[in-house]
Amino acid sequence: MTQKRAIRVVATGARLVVGAVVAALCVAGVAAGVAFEWPGIENTPAQVSVRPAAGDTTLICTGAFRAIGRDVQNAQQMSSAGDATLTVDSSGPRADSEIAAPDLLGAATAPQRFIGSAEQGGTSLVSASESIALAAADISGLAASTCREPRTESWLLGGTVETGTSDLIILSNPGDVTAVATLTVFGTEQTSTETLVPAGTQLAVPLSSIAAGLQQPVVRVTAAGAPLRAVLQSSLIRTLDPSGIDVQDTAGVPRTDLTFAGVQVVTDEPDSPVAVLRLMATDQATTATITVRSANKIVQTTSVPLDAATPAEVNLDGLDVGIYSVSVEADVPIVGAVWQSTGAGAGTDFAWMTSAPQIDRELLAAVPAGPNPRLHLVNSGQSQATVTLAPTNGAAGEEVTVPANGSVVVDVSADTTYALTMNGADLHAAVVLSDVNQLAGWPLWPAASARSAITVYP
């Protein structure tokens, strides 16, 4: 009996020892598993990259330059100071038509609407631009702009209501239903106004009627019901002398980085600014870093604090005569535009340049009639890029190399449309016109019908 009990005690002890060893091995295994990377099972969802079929492209041109106040019995009446000259071309079928401008008297032609049709899944490229030179007793200068597609949100940066200015917000509705435009003005305070824009109609709203007392307002135009084409038309009189006109395109959506191409300094006047950058942080305060380049050389760097929803201006002083690119970086979304002038005296001219988006696909660029037309190509990337320019009239084209973090100025022909093909994803471009007391320019935008690829998850 005693011997059997001893055997049971020994067996129980052995099992305890074995159990302890196994437990220790399990703990060691878990510790080792935690220390090393575990093999995992990873499921990659099915996906495919799809480029949406190209759609029709609708471009709206501003048309006649508007004069206000010529009728002493009706100071708010708008009349035509002159009709713009158009340059237009397309790579496929195009329908041309007009929209009405019932609040404008005396225009020989109505604002033009161009629709490029996409057939059988192809991309229809269409481009149009317009220019006008005036030399009247109350309005003089050169204005030129591109015709653009309507948008549901637009930002207008170059307005002012200081004495001698006549700024008009021109709204065009090419659609089939009435649009409701909300005009939100940013300045020392924020205000909003609504106006109806009937289908197939263009109308103008004096900036002074919605931004009284503001020297440097920024206006956001939002459209409901139908997208709108918004531009800012400006004219200036100093004392009794007309001193410039401009038609400013809408800026792009707020971004944390902006690139301006085609910033022209055409005169050296140390006593008055000839280039001024207007910026606004749309939602939050920030500090913006501004870098000015000539070709591939940095010539100026500065920083400026920006309060939320409050416009600010920075003089770009000390620049030699030439064409510059300007880059602006911030931690929060901002909008901006650069004012340029031929001088401060009577009979001068000015122009606003909005930021240039990236262009990485083929597009058409219509260069209108005007003095000394040039194309400014800016490469913000780290490797060189090439751009092929081919006139659509069959004339000989050329290939241009744009160095990394540099820019190139190319002479182009007036009243000519060019097909641009890019090899580089960080390119920006602008068309500029200039002469004695004549100044105009605008950035090139990607083709409206060319859409980026999207990823689809079945």
Side-chain angles (χ1 to χ4, degrees):
M1 189 72 176
T2 302
Q3 184 179 5
K4 290 182 179 180
R5 183 176 180 182
I7 292 173
R8 286 199 298 269
V9 170
V10 171
T12 301
R15 286 196 295 269
L16 291 174
V17 171
V18 172
V21 171
V22 171
L25 290 175
C26 289
V27 171
V30 170
V34 171
F36 295 96
E37 183 177 354
W38 285 52
I41 299 176
E42 191 173 309
N43 292 324
T44 301
Q47 56 183 285
V48 61
S49 180
V50 177
R51 188 177 297 277
D56 292 349
T57 301
T58 299
L59 301 183
I60 294 295
C61 302
T62 304
F65 197 91
R66 294 172 177 244
I68 188 171
R70 285 183 168 179
D71 187 344
V72 294
Q73 297 181 341
N74 184 1
Q76 296 302 310
Q77 178 62 61
M78 301 178 198
S79 59
S80 172
D83 289 280
T85 299
L86 275 167
T87 298
V88 59
D89 202 355
S90 60
S91 62
R94 188 183 78 236
D96 303 350
S97 58
E98 299 177 343
I99 64 174
D103 62 342
L104 178 64
L105 296 180
T109 59
Q112 300 296 300
R113 170 175 50 197
F114 301 108
I115 301 177
S117 300
E119 293 188 341
Q120 299 179 349
T123 300
S124 175
L125 300 178
V126 58
S127 181
S129 62
E130 52 192 346
S131 63
I132 184 170
L134 298 173
D138 59 341
I139 298 179
S140 73
L142 172 70
S145 63
T146 186
C147 304
R148 288 274 309 282
E149 68 278 7
R151 304 172 62 90
T152 56
E153 180 181 83
S154 302
W155 291 84
L156 301 173
L157 275 293
T160 183
V161 295
E162 66 181 13
T163 303
T165 60
S166 297
D167 286 8
L168 302 172
I169 298 173
I170 300 177
L171 305 171
S172 301
N173 178 5
D176 298 324
V177 298
T178 296
V180 179
T182 301
L183 311 178
T184 303
V185 181
F186 298 86
T188 53
E189 59 183 15
Q190 185 173 321
T191 61
S192 292
T193 305
E194 287 189 353
T195 187
L196 298 179
V197 186
T201 297
Q202 179 189 92
L203 56 81
V205 178
L207 182 62
S208 59
S209 68
I210 62 172
L214 299 180
Q215 299 301 310
Q216 43 188 248
V218 169
V219 181
R220 181 182 65 201
V221 181
T222 54
L228 294 170
R229 167 78 169 124
V231 300
L232 181 68
Q233 179 198 288
S234 302
S235 61
L236 173 63
I237 292 180
R238 290 190 175 102
T239 312
L240 298 176
D241 300 309
S243 302
I245 61 175
D246 186 48
V247 175
Q248 182 196 132
D249 193 11
T250 175
V253 297
R255 294 173 51 92
T256 57
D257 60 306
L258 304 176
T259 297
F260 299 89
V263 176
Q264 301 181 82
V265 176
V266 298
T267 185
D268 182 11
E269 290 197 8
D271 297 331
S272 62
V274 293
V276 177
L277 173 63
R278 182 179 294 183
L279 293 171
M280 190 185 78
T282 55
D283 295 315
Q284 303 175 44
T286 188
T287 296
T289 301
I290 304 164
T291 304
V292 182
R293 289 183 173 86
S294 174
N296 58 352
K297 179 183 178 182
I298 296 177
V299 297
Q300 194 175 105
T301 301
T302 188
S303 295
V304 58
L306 300 175
D307 294 331
T310 304
E313 290 189 345
V314 181
N315 290 342
L316 303 179
D317 295 328
L319 299 178
D320 296 329
V321 173
I323 297 181
Y324 296 85
S325 64
V326 179
S327 61
V328 184
E329 296 183 350
D331 294 330
V332 300
I334 57 176
V335 291
V338 181
W339 174 86
Q340 311 140 87
S341 174
T342 62
T348 55
D349 197 16
F350 67 91
W352 283 91
M353 179 65 76
T354 54
S355 60
Q358 287 189 357
I359 50 176
D360 57 3
R361 293 184 294 274
E362 181 183 7
L363 60 84
L364 293 183
V367 179
N372 193 24
R374 288 168 289 176
L375 180 66
H376 189 213
L377 298 168
V378 177
N379 181 4
S380 60
Q382 301 301 313
S383 58
Q384 75 174 23
T386 57
V387 179
T388 301
L389 284 72
T392 58
N393 60 13
E398 60 179 309
E399 185 174 273
V400 180
T401 299
V402 189
N405 289 313
S407 64
V408 174
V409 178
V410 183
D411 292 333
V412 291
S413 299
D415 195 23
T416 303
T417 300
Y418 291 82
L420 274 68
T421 305
M422 280 70 66
N423 179 15
D426 298 301
L427 286 167
H428 313 260
V431 175
V432 297
L433 307 171
S434 64
D435 203 350
V436 177
N437 289 332
Q438 291 189 319
L439 202 62
W442 64 91
L444 296 186
W445 284 77
S449 62
R451 303 183 182 181
S452 301
I454 60 176
T455 301
V456 177
Y457 297 92

